[in-house]
Amino acid sequence: MPSKKIKFNEDEIAIFDDAVIYKRGNYWQFRIWLAKERKYARFSLKTKSRSTAEDKAKLHYHELMALQMQGKSYFSKTTKDGVAMYLEQRQKDVEAELIVKGRYSTISTHLEHWLNHVKKDTKLKELERTDCENYFAERTKTKKGLKISQTTVENEQSTINAMMAWLYKRKETYIDGFDFKKLPKLDRGKEENRRDLFTDAEFKAIADELDSYIEDAEKDLSNDENLVQAITGYYLGFNSITGLRRGEQLQLRWSDIEEMEHKEARNKKFDLLKITIRGETSKVRKTRKVVIKDTGYFAGLLKLQIGRLGEDVKEKDMQMRLGDNLMFSANNKNPITPRAIGYHFDKLLKLAKIKNLETRDLVPYSFRHYFITKRVNSNLPPAAVAEMCGTSITQIEKTYYHTTEEKMVSNALADYEYKDGLLIPK
């Protein structure tokens, strides 16, 4: 309990003899001497009402005294400290294989945005439920004018309140979450409320430009920047033909890939790749196998490794030698960074002359979006696409289904057939 004899000014109101409330401008403030820490605790009560200020001050007084009795410090935790504590716990979840590294990275990014909103030196004990009521409005006003989707903000708010509930259980905050404003229900049928998508022509332009982008980098792989550019180029190309999540692909090992050969009628051959996405690297924690057509990105990346080695080695032997090394890595141990992926992706879009970049939400993840959308609109069953891409049927239908003109026409003609130049009901 505090033992310092408090002297009050005329404009101060005593709270239990050893704390005071007073006005600064129009708002009431709280001050109390904490004997064990030999410091004053001062903070705003965020109200203009004297009666409300007195009620809140008494509540804070009892909570502070309880902390003092438990030997806990009021001054030790800021919002930055709270985020660090929570991320430390989530890192343990990664090590226990309860969440994947990609999920941890997403949580960290969400909370970094929150720290920018509430400020890193704000005391956890001073947070109130209403402090983030304008989070959506401020989060979507970015300095660079980039479009932030409502879904992205909703996901961030969910992460923030999960952290607050965790901190509250450990008595680090007085609240267990924020009262975010209820956002309007999204009309998922409108294209602008779905993830932005490449057109077929844009996708082709990017693929064409990507070949030159990699080729230019491979002219001098002794240059570290060129090496990263080439590997990132192969990463983007491989991503465009597999639709893998970033975390899944960055953790791919050479041993996860198996080359196959497939023959169809008339002895037409296809070079195929069987990819094993290990459960510990997948967002859904389930191992799956995917077979894709090899368009040269895997073979090109393997040849790059052979060229760096400077030996005359067969591709199969080289893949066996690389074994459990990471595929998309400049040193076989650490994957290329998300920053490098984003940087080279942006450069590639400009080289491919993709229009209206400043108003579109095109990101490396758009390759996965395009991959899934194309397969759904090619009349593959949503269940088959969901299994291939490691997601749910609901997510496929809600997020990825884009109705094209061709598909609408196909649907309109579904109950008819052409015969002798006429459209006849079946």
Side-chain angles (χ1 to χ4, degrees), residues 64-75:
L64 285 168
M65 292 304 100
L67 284 175
Q68 292 278 289
M69 293 295 291
Q70 295 171 32
K72 292 187 176 181
S73 171
Y74 167 77
F75 291 98

PDB file of all heavy atoms in Angstrom, residues 64-75:
ATOM      1  N   LEU A  64      -4.596  -1.294  -9.131  1.00  0.00           N
ATOM      2  CA  LEU A  64      -3.179  -1.003  -8.901  1.00  0.00           C
ATOM      3  C   LEU A  64      -2.711  -1.532  -7.554  1.00  0.00           C
ATOM      4  O   LEU A  64      -1.598  -2.051  -7.428  1.00  0.00           O
ATOM      5  CB  LEU A  64      -2.939   0.509  -8.993  1.00  0.00           C
ATOM      6  CG  LEU A  64      -2.957   1.102 -10.407  1.00  0.00           C
ATOM      7  CD1 LEU A  64      -3.014   2.622 -10.339  1.00  0.00           C
ATOM      8  CD2 LEU A  64      -1.733   0.650 -11.184  1.00  0.00           C
ATOM      9  N   MET A  65      -3.563  -1.403  -6.550  1.00  0.00           N
ATOM     10  CA  MET A  65      -3.206  -1.922  -5.238  1.00  0.00           C
ATOM     11  C   MET A  65      -3.081  -3.449  -5.247  1.00  0.00           C
ATOM     12  O   MET A  65      -2.208  -4.028  -4.612  1.00  0.00           O
ATOM     13  CB  MET A  65      -4.249  -1.504  -4.188  1.00  0.00           C
ATOM     14  CG  MET A  65      -4.261  -0.009  -3.893  1.00  0.00           C
ATOM     15  SD  MET A  65      -2.643   0.626  -3.374  1.00  0.00           S
ATOM     16  CE  MET A  65      -2.041   1.349  -4.912  1.00  0.00           C
ATOM     17  N   ALA A  66      -3.970  -4.098  -6.013  1.00  0.00           N
ATOM     18  CA  ALA A  66      -3.906  -5.557  -6.124  1.00  0.00           C
ATOM     19  C   ALA A  66      -2.596  -5.978  -6.788  1.00  0.00           C
ATOM     20  O   ALA A  66      -1.964  -6.949  -6.375  1.00  0.00           O
ATOM     21  CB  ALA A  66      -5.100  -6.069  -6.921  1.00  0.00           C
ATOM     22  N   LEU A  67      -2.180  -5.232  -7.809  1.00  0.00           N
ATOM     23  CA  LEU A  67      -0.915  -5.518  -8.482  1.00  0.00           C
ATOM     24  C   LEU A  67       0.253  -5.356  -7.527  1.00  0.00           C
ATOM     25  O   LEU A  67       1.191  -6.164  -7.515  1.00  0.00           O
ATOM     26  CB  LEU A  67      -0.730  -4.589  -9.690  1.00  0.00           C
ATOM     27  CG  LEU A  67      -1.546  -4.894 -10.949  1.00  0.00           C
ATOM     28  CD1 LEU A  67      -1.318  -3.803 -11.989  1.00  0.00           C
ATOM     29  CD2 LEU A  67      -1.159  -6.253 -11.521  1.00  0.00           C
ATOM     30  N   GLN A  68       0.207  -4.286  -6.736  1.00  0.00           N
ATOM     31  CA  GLN A  68       1.283  -4.042  -5.779  1.00  0.00           C
ATOM     32  C   GLN A  68       1.382  -5.193  -4.762  1.00  0.00           C
ATOM     33  O   GLN A  68       2.480  -5.654  -4.442  1.00  0.00           O
ATOM     34  CB  GLN A  68       1.026  -2.725  -5.032  1.00  0.00           C
ATOM     35  CG  GLN A  68       1.133  -1.478  -5.904  1.00  0.00           C
ATOM     36  CD  GLN A  68       2.565  -1.027  -6.092  1.00  0.00           C
ATOM     37  OE1 GLN A  68       3.208  -0.535  -5.181  1.00  0.00           O
ATOM     38  NE2 GLN A  68       3.080  -1.218  -7.302  1.00  0.00           N
ATOM     39  N   MET A  69       0.227  -5.682  -4.298  1.00  0.00           N
ATOM     40  CA  MET A  69       0.211  -6.781  -3.334  1.00  0.00           C
ATOM     41  C   MET A  69       0.775  -8.071  -3.945  1.00  0.00           C
ATOM     42  O   MET A  69       1.380  -8.887  -3.273  1.00  0.00           O
ATOM     43  CB  MET A  69      -1.220  -7.028  -2.855  1.00  0.00           C
ATOM     44  CG  MET A  69      -1.793  -5.887  -2.025  1.00  0.00           C
ATOM     45  SD  MET A  69      -0.907  -5.658  -0.439  1.00  0.00           S
ATOM     46  CE  MET A  69      -1.395  -7.155   0.419  1.00  0.00           C
ATOM     47  N   GLN A  70       0.582  -8.232  -5.271  1.00  0.00           N
ATOM     48  CA  GLN A  70       1.090  -9.421  -5.962  1.00  0.00           C
ATOM     49  C   GLN A  70       2.544  -9.261  -6.382  1.00  0.00           C
ATOM     50  O   GLN A  70       3.140 -10.172  -6.949  1.00  0.00           O
ATOM     51  CB  GLN A  70       0.245  -9.698  -7.207  1.00  0.00           C
ATOM     52  CG  GLN A  70      -1.196 -10.060  -6.913  1.00  0.00           C
ATOM     53  CD  GLN A  70      -2.040 -10.114  -8.174  1.00  0.00           C
ATOM     54  OE1 GLN A  70      -1.567 -10.457  -9.250  1.00  0.00           O
ATOM     55  NE2 GLN A  70      -3.313  -9.766  -8.042  1.00  0.00           N
ATOM     56  N   GLY A  71       3.112  -8.094  -6.113  1.00  0.00           N
ATOM     57  CA  GLY A  71       4.503  -7.847  -6.476  1.00  0.00           C
ATOM     58  C   GLY A  71       4.712  -7.531  -7.946  1.00  0.00           C
ATOM     59  O   GLY A  71       5.834  -7.614  -8.452  1.00  0.00           O
ATOM     60  N   LYS A  72       3.636  -7.175  -8.648  1.00  0.00           N
ATOM     61  CA  LYS A  72       3.748  -6.869 -10.072  1.00  0.00           C
ATOM     62  C   LYS A  72       3.947  -5.371 -10.286  1.00  0.00           C
ATOM     63  O   LYS A  72       3.418  -4.549  -9.543  1.00  0.00           O
ATOM     64  CB  LYS A  72       2.500  -7.333 -10.826  1.00  0.00           C
ATOM     65  CG  LYS A  72       2.365  -8.849 -10.863  1.00  0.00           C
ATOM     66  CD  LYS A  72       1.216  -9.272 -11.765  1.00  0.00           C
ATOM     67  CE  LYS A  72       1.146 -10.779 -11.871  1.00  0.00           C
ATOM     68  NZ  LYS A  72       0.040 -11.213 -12.767  1.00  0.00           N
ATOM     69  N   SER A  73       4.698  -5.055 -11.324  1.00  0.00           N
ATOM     70  CA  SER A  73       5.008  -3.660 -11.624  1.00  0.00           C
ATOM     71  C   SER A  73       4.021  -3.072 -12.615  1.00  0.00           C
ATOM     72  O   SER A  73       3.670  -3.706 -13.600  1.00  0.00           O
ATOM     73  CB  SER A  73       6.431  -3.560 -12.186  1.00  0.00           C
ATOM     74  OG  SER A  73       6.683  -2.261 -12.667  1.00  0.00           O
ATOM     75  N   TYR A  74       3.589  -1.856 -12.360  1.00  0.00           N
ATOM     76  CA  TYR A  74       2.707  -1.150 -13.297  1.00  0.00           C
ATOM     77  C   TYR A  74       3.486  -0.658 -14.502  1.00  0.00           C
ATOM     78  O   TYR A  74       2.979  -0.629 -15.614  1.00  0.00           O
ATOM     79  CB  TYR A  74       2.049   0.029 -12.592  1.00  0.00           C
ATOM     80  CG  TYR A  74       1.377   0.996 -13.550  1.00  0.00           C
ATOM     81  CD1 TYR A  74       0.155   0.685 -14.124  1.00  0.00           C
ATOM     82  CD2 TYR A  74       1.984   2.203 -13.894  1.00  0.00           C
ATOM     83  CE1 TYR A  74      -0.445   1.557 -15.023  1.00  0.00           C
ATOM     84  CE2 TYR A  74       1.391   3.075 -14.781  1.00  0.00           C
ATOM     85  CZ  TYR A  74       0.173   2.750 -15.347  1.00  0.00           C
ATOM     86  OH  TYR A  74      -0.416   3.609 -16.236  1.00  0.00           O
ATOM     87  N   PHE A  75       4.730  -0.295 -14.311  1.00  0.00           N
ATOM     88  CA  PHE A  75       5.488   0.386 -15.357  1.00  0.00           C
ATOM     89  C   PHE A  75       6.200  -0.555 -16.332  1.00  0.00           C
ATOM     90  O   PHE A  75       6.776  -0.117 -17.296  1.00  0.00           O
ATOM     91  CB  PHE A  75       6.540   1.310 -14.721  1.00  0.00           C
ATOM     92  CG  PHE A  75       5.934   2.482 -14.014  1.00  0.00           C
ATOM     93  CD1 PHE A  75       5.744   2.449 -12.644  1.00  0.00           C
ATOM     94  CD2 PHE A  75       5.543   3.598 -14.723  1.00  0.00           C
ATOM     95  CE1 PHE A  75       5.176   3.531 -11.992  1.00  0.00           C
ATOM     96  CE2 PHE A  75       4.974   4.681 -14.079  1.00  0.00           C
ATOM     97  CZ  PHE A  75       4.790   4.650 -12.711  1.00  0.00           C
TER      98      PHE A  75
END
